[in-house]
Amino acid sequence: MNFKNKIDMPLEILKKIFYFIFFISITSYSQESLDEQKLLLIEALQEFSETSSVTGREDNASEYLKSFLKNSNLKEDKLGNLILEIGSGLPKTLITVPIDEPGYVISEIKPNGYMRFTPVGFGRVGQLYDQFMQGHEVKINSEKKYTIGVSTVPSSHFESLRKNPESKKEPFTWHEGYIDIGASSIEEVYQNEIELLDPVSLNKKPVVINDSLIAGPNIKIKAAGLALAIIAKFINKKSVKGKLVFAWTVQELINGKGIESVINQYGPFDKIYRFNRFLDSDSIGTDQIIVNEKFYKDESNIIKAKPILPFRNSASNIDFDKLKIHEIGIASKYSNSPVEMIAINDVINLISYISNSQKIQLSHYYDFPDKKKQKKTLFKSYSEYESILGELINKYGVSTSENSVRNHIIKKLPSWAKPIVDEKGNLILTFGEGENHKVFVAHMDETGYIVNDIKNDGRLELKMLGGMLPWLWEAQPATIHLRHKKITGVFEPRLDYLTSKKRKSNFPLNVNAGFLSKSEALEAGVIIGETSITMPKEMIRLNENRVTGRSFDDRVGCAALILALNKINPRELKNKITFVWSVEEEIGLRGAKHSAINLKNASIVYPVDTYVSSDDPYKDESFANAPLGNGAVIRVLESINFVSRENFKMIRKLADNNNIKTQYGMTSGGTDGQPFLSYGIPSVPISWPGRYSHSPIEIMDLRDMNSLVKLIKAIIED
């Protein structure tokens, strides 16, 4: 997925051969040529940064590098290190970058299909490192494929009911975590070829800002690894004096043996240049290299720093302190978070620094490896549901900003439908004739943020719209919705994210969109009180029946109404029917309040909204017990409504007579039926069960959606 400012443009990873020339220190270029080189570097770095390389299981990243260097004499040793030798004689120099990263492995597979995970090695820096994975997509890399799942999170709707609220707890740690791939049993997990100790990492979504910054998990290591690969691939071999040994090493974060084995096999070396991920400075974009203050004295254009963590190498037969090691690094903001951010110019500067230190030149034609995509799974069922719901999920509509959702719904209505848009922005469709007037309401808006202020340094301060667990948004990619386009940014981690002792921050969230001042943000089109901000999102099919995504609440309801319309003939109806796709439900049922005034003659209202289910790893069957896959849900009791026995019996009988699989229960939250109650109009909410409400990783079952569509159709035609 490409999250450049032109987000809607598809990513096409360099299908042709391009010029990419670095004549370090002696050759000048036109600005156009330099800009092209930069864009090519960005696209390659985006692709490489998506690879997984949990320490000890670096295969995914290694395969990319082997493809990149496919026409070289690259070797792979028995540990998995990649080594390339160029030149001969003395001096003999080692230039090395570790390619592993902190991560986790599957440590338990439960009978109900949920999995537990455990960290591997070290390098998980900061008190919130584990928390940044909670409530987000993860990638499980098995031997032959990967599987997308989610790191679970308790539903936000239940927060006020908890004896010990999530927001009052200390930071989340892996001990509390579960992974959900949509499986219902251990057998379904094994069908995905997942085994114990398979590596787990975030499903990485690197963010490019203004073609000058890139942010993503472990981006420094990925940038350094790619920089070294570019040098190795495009080096002018005639300019090499002595022998250069390039090494991309493994297992640094578990035992440090990767680099040690390279030194023992290919040394001794006169000099060693080692990229140190733990050299830290936030002075990005200054064209300076970070160096270990222990090994450098006076040198221009450097930043001296002390590693935040020492190099670990147990049971070593090498005295690393006596080796002539030059430790270098790249400056970054938000280090050791999922939005670790670096400047593209600093990557280019790293290439220059290493090349200049060896007095080598780079020049060559080149091509990047084609992006390898896992073969897409073809599912047998619910293709229409997947299409309509997936398209709606791809539309953004934070409360008060529902235009794109409404416009898309209008396009999907059958040709006979003639909807209107009322003064509030609700989309209303009335059809059929009869004394009974049945109203169905599904809301178009989603939870998210709005710009509340712009700081003098250009960062955007946010206000939350709707109920969410705000820490799930920290240190994640951001999409800023301007009036005529979308641009990218990142939700910043809190200032004390490395030392914080609380799960929830007491301060508002901020977004960094690359602006350097308040005036720059305003000139770009950011409007205080109007501009909405969300996370990038898409619907992911987990298996034949289950999907994950953000804003199922209430895009499933919106889609269910569209699907039901496609299954009826309005001329044959005995009832007057009104469909309302409402606005601003998440901030006080505002759209429904407006509609209720104009629909006082309604006989009954059926809000179509999510049923927040306790069918999750934190299962409590005493409340909101509606298992996924068991059918549509009649919300008999919720926070603000209790359906009458008469109406409850009526809808159950209707479902039974039509062989529609349903369940019923009580849950937390309210629906757009509440304003209609003020006019004596009964509200009978109908739903589908959903997990992890108001989070980036809601999960629902398409079988339940199918039951819901059938139920809506049956009510319309009854």
Side-chain angles (χ1 to χ4, degrees):
M1 219 173 170
N2 184 10
F3 297 121
K4 290 184 180 181
N5 284 359
K6 294 183 180 179
I7 293 177
D8 294 327
M9 292 181 64
L11 175 62
E12 296 182 1
I13 295 290
L14 305 177
K15 297 177 181 177
K16 300 178 181 178
I17 297 177
F18 296 90
Y19 250 133
F20 184 23
I21 305 172
F22 284 96
F23 278 128
I24 304 302
S25 77
I26 62 170
T27 305
S28 62
Y29 291 94
S30 68
Q31 186 61 46
E32 182 180 354
S33 176
L34 290 172
D35 289 345
E36 182 183 28
Q37 293 171 15
K38 195 176 190 179
L39 291 175
L40 300 180
L41 176 61
I42 288 170
E43 291 195 348
L45 185 50
Q46 278 184 285
E47 184 177 342
F48 186 40
S49 66
E50 290 174 0
T51 63
S52 174
S53 54
V54 173
T55 187
R57 290 291 184 270
E58 299 90 352
D59 318 59
N60 192 209
S62 292
E63 287 302 315
Y64 180 90
L65 292 170
K66 285 188 280 188
S67 179
F68 192 93
L69 297 166
K70 60 185 176 182
N71 295 321
S72 68
N73 294 317
L74 187 70
K75 302 174 185 176
E76 183 174 7
D77 69 13
K78 293 179 180 179
L79 290 187
N81 297 305
L82 301 179
I83 303 101
L84 180 61
E85 298 176 276
I86 297 177
S88 61
L90 299 176
K92 195 173 184 181
T93 304
L94 172 65
I95 308 174
T96 180
V97 174
I99 60 171
D100 63 334
E101 60 192 21
Y104 309 83
V105 294
I106 298 296
S107 56
E108 182 185 8
I109 304 174
K110 292 187 167 292
N112 57 9
Y114 295 115
M115 290 172 277
R116 305 303 298 267
F117 56 94
T118 301
V120 181
F122 72 104
R124 293 162 37 255
V125 176
Q127 294 296 311
L128 302 184
Y129 194 94
D130 295 339
Q131 182 165 301
F132 289 146
M133 191 168 82
Q134 185 192 31
H136 295 285
E137 297 163 18
V138 297
K139 182 181 285 187
I140 305 167
N141 277 280
S142 305
E143 184 176 4
K144 297 179 180 179
K145 57 174 284 190
Y146 68 78
T147 300
I148 298 297
V150 303
S151 173
T152 66
V153 61
S155 290
S156 64
H157 282 76
F158 298 153
E159 183 69 354
S160 63
L161 303 176
R162 294 185 176 108
K163 186 176 181 180
N164 184 18
E166 298 294 306
S167 59
K168 303 296 184 183
K169 293 180 178 179
E170 294 181 349
F172 170 88
T173 68
W174 60 269
H175 308 81
E176 307 170 60
Y178 294 85
I179 291 174
D180 184 350
I181 63 167
S184 300
S185 66
I186 194 169
E187 289 77 19
E188 287 186 33
V189 174
Y190 290 146
Q191 287 171 11
N192 279 274
E193 301 179 30
I194 294 173
E195 297 182 353
L196 287 174
L197 305 186
D198 278 344
V200 179
S201 61
L202 277 171
N203 185 25
K204 301 174 184 177
K205 300 176 181 181
V207 181
V208 175
I209 302 174
N210 296 332
D211 290 332
S212 61
L213 304 169
I214 185 168
N218 307 292
I219 196 68
K220 289 192 293 186
I221 281 293
K222 292 296 196 282
L226 183 62
L228 192 60
I230 288 172
I231 295 171
K233 186 176 180 71
F234 309 124
I235 191 170
N236 183 338
K237 295 181 181 179
K238 293 180 180 180
S239 67
V240 176
K241 307 299 181 184
K243 176 178 279 192
L244 288 180
V245 178
F246 299 96
W248 296 263
T249 60
V250 298
Q251 300 185 20
E252 179 178 272
L253 297 178
I254 194 167
N255 55 32
K257 294 302 180 182
I259 186 173
E260 183 176 350
S261 69
V262 170
I263 293 171
N264 282 329
Q265 292 179 80
Y266 294 89
F269 295 99
D270 297 288
K271 274 189 177 181
I272 298 175
Y273 289 83
R274 171 179 171 264
F275 186 86
N276 189 337
R277 76 184 85 208
F278 296 120
L279 290 173
D280 207 23
S281 168
D282 62 2
S283 298
I284 66 173
T286 61
D287 295 332
Q288 293 177 297
I289 294 295
I290 310 177
V291 299
N292 190 334
E293 63 183 14
K294 180 179 179 181
F295 303 109
Y296 286 78
K297 293 184 180 179
D298 296 320
E299 189 173 333
S300 62
N301 211 32
I302 64 170
I303 301 171
K304 294 181 181 179
K306 182 179 180 180
I308 60 174
L309 285 181
F311 175 62
R312 299 184 185 182
N313 185 267
S314 58
S316 176
N317 59 10
I318 295 177
D319 188 346
F320 281 87
D321 289 333
K322 291 184 178 180
L323 296 177
K324 296 179 180 178
I325 296 178
H326 297 257
E327 292 190 352
I328 55 178
I330 300 177
S332 65
K333 286 184 178 293
Y334 324 127
S335 295
N336 302 294
S337 82
V339 291
E340 185 174 85
M341 179 187 291
I342 61 174
I344 300 301
N345 283 344
D346 287 343
V347 183
I348 296 173
N349 188 50
L350 177 64
I351 295 170
S352 301
Y353 180 88
I354 295 173
S355 300
N356 285 336
S357 72
Q358 303 307 305
K359 297 182 174 59
I360 56 177
Q361 295 177 352
L362 310 178
S363 68
H364 214 289
Y365 288 95
Y366 82 103
D367 62 318
F368 279 89
D370 291 333
K371 187 169 185 177
K372 293 182 179 179
K373 294 185 178 181
Q374 180 168 296
K375 187 177 180 181
K376 187 175 181 180
T377 303
L378 297 177
F379 297 99
K380 300 176 182 178
S381 57
Y382 302 116
S383 58
E384 182 185 14
Y385 287 39
E386 180 182 8
S387 174
I388 290 178
L389 179 57
E391 290 174 6
L392 278 171
I393 292 296
N394 287 339
K395 302 299 177 183
Y396 295 85
V398 174
S399 301
T400 71
S401 302
E402 301 92 347
N403 286 354
S404 65
V405 182
R406 179 174 53 244
N407 292 339
H408 188 76
I409 290 172
I410 292 172
K411 292 178 182 178
K412 289 296 177 179
L413 297 179
S415 58
W416 57 262
K418 307 298 178 186
I420 63 168
V421 179
D422 69 14
E423 301 88 346
K424 187 65 179 173
N426 301 305
L427 181 64
I428 300 172
L429 174 65
T430 298
F431 54 94
E433 296 180 357
E435 294 184 3
N436 284 334
H437 185 186
K438 301 177 182 180
V439 176
F440 296 80
V441 189
H443 66 88
M444 297 183 288
D445 60 323
E446 64 192 78
T447 57
Y449 288 88
I450 197 167
V451 175
N452 195 49
D453 194 12
I454 304 174
K455 297 180 180 293
N456 290 334
D457 61 5
R459 291 180 300 136
L460 312 178
E461 183 179 294
L462 308 183
K463 176 184 178 182
M464 185 164 64
L465 296 182
M468 298 180 286
L469 304 179
W471 60 88
L472 301 183
W473 297 68
E474 285 186 76
Q476 303 298 330
T479 301
I480 298 93
H481 302 269
L482 306 179
R483 283 187 174 178
H484 303 296
K485 66 176 181 179
K486 298 190 280 283
I487 63 174
T488 55
V490 298
F491 290 94
E492 292 186 315
R494 67 192 72 169
L495 288 175
D496 64 344
Y497 72 96
L498 295 174
T499 58
S500 180
K501 297 181 179 179
K502 296 180 179 179
R503 190 162 300 196
K504 179 183 177 183
S505 172
N506 293 326
F507 299 96
L509 268 175
N510 295 305
V511 159
N512 182 344
F515 303 124
L516 299 179
S517 66
K518 182 173 184 176
S519 60
E520 188 177 327
L522 291 170
E523 288 171 7
V526 177
I527 301 174
I528 296 173
E530 176 184 310
T531 300
S532 63
I533 298 184
T534 63
M535 275 184 210
K537 59 175 181 169
E538 65 176 329
M539 189 176 82
I540 296 175
R541 191 115 184 217
L542 298 174
N543 55 37
E544 195 67 47
N545 299 311
R546 292 183 180 174
V547 290
T548 185
R550 186 173 62 76
S551 70
F552 284 160
D553 178 6
D554 186 24
R555 301 298 159 74
V556 176
C558 292
L561 293 184
I562 295 171
L563 289 161
L565 282 177
N566 293 333
K567 298 178 184 297
I568 63 171
N569 184 342
R571 296 177 180 177
E572 297 177 354
L573 300 180
K574 301 175 183 178
N575 303 297
K576 183 179 180 181
I577 306 295
T578 296
F579 278 13
V580 179
W581 289 272
S582 67
V583 298
E584 301 179 26
E585 189 267 359
E586 298 290 3
I587 53 174
L589 315 179
R590 294 177 183 176
K593 288 177 183 177
H594 187 87
S595 289
I597 295 173
N598 297 321
L599 294 169
K600 294 177 184 178
N601 65 343
S603 307
I604 192 168
V605 62
Y606 295 94
V608 186
D609 207 343
T610 186
Y611 179 93
V612 183
S613 175
S614 62
D615 179 18
D616 58 30
Y618 321 99
K619 194 175 181 73
D620 178 3
E621 295 185 358
S622 66
F623 184 82
N625 181 32
L628 272 64
N630 280 14
V633 185
I634 306 164
R635 290 175 59 147
V636 179
L637 176 60
E638 55 187 20
S639 300
I640 57 175
N641 187 38
F642 202 159
V643 176
S644 70
R645 284 192 172 95
E646 180 183 359
N647 285 326
F648 175 43
K649 290 178 181 178
M650 174 194 69
I651 195 169
R652 284 194 73 189
K653 182 179 180 181
L654 181 65
D656 291 342
N657 290 343
N658 287 274
N659 297 312
I660 301 170
K661 196 172 184 180
T662 57
Q663 46 192 328
Y664 65 93
M666 61 183 294
T667 191
S668 183
T671 66
D672 273 334
Q674 180 73 1
F676 289 83
L677 293 171
S678 301
Y679 302 100
I681 303 168
S683 174
V684 182
I686 52 178
S687 311
W688 71 94
R691 292 176 182 163
Y692 322 128
S693 67
H694 284 189
S695 82
I697 47 98
E698 296 171 6
I699 287 182
M700 57 83 62
D701 194 303
L702 294 171
R703 293 172 294 185
D704 300 328
M705 185 179 178
N706 185 42
S707 296
L708 178 62
V709 172
K710 290 180 179 179
L711 184 59
I712 294 170
K713 178 177 181 289
I715 295 170
I716 290 172
E717 295 178 339
D718 181 49

